[in-house]
Amino acid sequence: MKTHLSSKIEALLFVAGDDGLTIKQLQFLTEAGVEDILAEIEAMAVRYEETETSGIMIKELAGVYQLVTKQQVACTIQRLVENPTVQSLSQASLEVLAIIAYKQPITRVEIEDLRGVKSEKALYTLAGKGLIQETGRAEGTGRAILYGTTSEFLNYFGLKNLDELPPLPEAAEEDQDNEGDLFMTKFQEAFKEEAKV
């Protein structure tokens, strides 16, 4: 099945994001002629403009083409940007999430022992985003809450299951003082592309 030129241009502009692409770049990437690309961009711009159900349009600035949102949806986009539940995760939250992912089920006290600092706020943030959940109670005095990851965690990081988590280095290579950092480092390496907002 042949991919239409407009589909290629749309996909490339979407992936390029704020950087956009020039005609020369589009020509190289699509292997199409300049006239064909310009004609297709013009047709796409008209189609986006005339389609009320589309929230995007093509913008050209100094020879660079971008896909941008229409002014009519600015309020909706602003709510997304201002909503803390959809913002990217902080360093502390990622550390806690990595520890939970590899050590679950685990209590808050065990997480704090590994990190060496309090983790209540990070746990609250992660639960609010639906990335972790209570998975039960620990045996013994106090019956502490056990935490584990959710299906949303898998979706957030593009995993099919927990077996796809990157393997940790051998325990012998670990420095006990840097155990929390180890989790964070491996997690960030595997998910460098984490939730760009």
Side-chain angles (χ1 to χ4, degrees):
M1 185 171 101
K2 188 176 179 183
T3 305
H4 196 275
L5 180 58
S6 65
S7 298
K8 293 178 181 178
I9 294 171
E10 184 179 57
L12 288 167
L13 292 179
F14 175 79
V15 171
D18 290 343
D19 292 337
L21 294 169
T22 64
I23 293 295
K24 190 172 185 178
Q25 290 169 318
L26 287 168
Q27 182 183 15
F28 172 77
L29 294 166
T30 62
E31 299 177 340
V34 173
E35 297 81 15
D36 292 337
I37 293 171
L38 286 170
E40 203 58 54
I41 287 176
E42 187 176 323
M44 290 168 66
V46 169
R47 188 168 64 245
Y48 288 139
E49 187 63 36
E50 293 176 351
T51 306
E52 292 180 18
T53 57
S54 175
I56 60 172
M57 63 183 199
I58 291 184
K59 180 180 176 182
E60 186 261 328
L61 183 63
V64 176
Y65 292 86
Q66 298 173 307
L67 277 182
V68 297
T69 55
K70 290 181 178 177
Q71 186 63 38
Q72 299 92 303
V73 295
C75 290
T76 305
I77 302 300
Q78 187 172 0
R79 280 197 295 275
L80 170 72
V81 172
E82 292 173 353
N83 185 348
T85 62
V86 293
Q87 291 176 355
S88 60
L89 297 172
S90 68
Q91 176 86 8
S93 293
L94 276 174
E95 286 177 9
V96 171
L97 186 57
I99 291 169
I100 293 171
Y102 284 101
K103 297 281 194 178
Q104 63 186 306
I106 188 170
T107 66
R108 178 180 56 82
V109 172
E110 291 170 326
I111 294 167
E112 290 173 352
D113 284 346
L114 284 171
R115 292 188 68 225
V117 293
K118 295 281 186 191
S119 300
E120 289 176 31
K121 185 177 179 189
L123 286 169
Y124 178 79
T125 300
L126 293 168
K129 291 177 182 284
L131 298 173
I132 63 167
Q133 64 185 357
E134 292 183 22
T135 58
R137 296 280 182 162
E139 295 297 322
T141 309
R143 299 198 27 94
I145 296 170
L146 291 168
Y147 293 98
T149 56
T150 63
S151 56
E152 181 60 28
F153 164 81
L154 298 175
N155 184 48
Y156 193 82
F157 289 103
L159 302 171
K160 291 180 186 169
N161 54 51
L162 292 174
D163 294 334
E164 291 189 350
L165 285 170
L168 292 173
E170 292 300 316
E173 297 174 9
E174 293 178 15
D175 176 9
Q176 202 63 326
D177 293 335
N178 293 326
E179 193 167 14
D181 289 338
L182 168 68
F183 285 117
M184 190 57 220
T185 302
K186 292 304 291 179
F187 206 69
Q188 282 186 322
E189 286 173 7
F191 306 111
K192 197 72 177 166
E193 224 293 295
E194 179 268 318
K196 269 186 159 181
V197 177

